Amino acid sequence: MISRHGGADRVSTKAKLAPELRILGEVLVRARERAKLKQSEVAARLGLPASYLSKIESGTRRLDVVELIRIAEAMGVDAAEIVREVSDALHSDHPHV
């Protein structure tokens, strides 16, 4: 029987993107560390719990462009530089992307 959510063989978008989300998280960790900030400091600047940032950095939570920009601003980092670093990492780790 097929479920109304696409069937048993359906793979979630989150599962499909897991390696990419980990790469994004790693790039954000490096950017935060270069800025000499702790997760709790960035989260406080965002007015959000540290667990929010922890999930993003560990690759278990997706984020949209607006969230990425806000996180970059909270770290005092150029969001475009983060995007470039993620793009470089994706292309070096996944030539087919």
Side-chain angles (χ1 to χ4, degrees), residues 31-87:
R32 179 176 53 75
E33 289 174 346
R34 283 192 303 265
K36 296 182 174 29
L37 294 168
K38 296 178 183 178
Q39 271 185 356
S40 58
E41 293 170 317
V42 176
R45 292 176 182 189
L46 294 166
L48 296 166
S51 61
Y52 165 84
L53 198 55
S54 176
K55 289 175 185 174
I56 291 169
E57 289 184 356
S58 67
T60 59
R61 184 189 187 288
R62 295 181 64 171
L63 73 157
D64 63 31
V65 173
V66 173
E67 290 170 313
L68 176 63
I69 292 168
R70 288 187 177 144
I71 291 169
E73 288 174 348
M75 294 190 296
V77 175
D78 180 12
E81 182 57 36
I82 291 173
V83 171
R84 274 191 294 277
E85 196 173 332
V86 170
S87 179

Side-chain angles (χ1 to χ4, degrees), residues 1 8 10-11 15 17 20 25 38 41 44 63 71 73 76 95 97:
M1 182 168 139
R10 183 172 176 210
V11 178
L17 293 176
E20 289 86 352
K38 296 178 183 178
E41 293 170 317
L63 73 157
I71 291 169
E73 288 174 348
V97 176

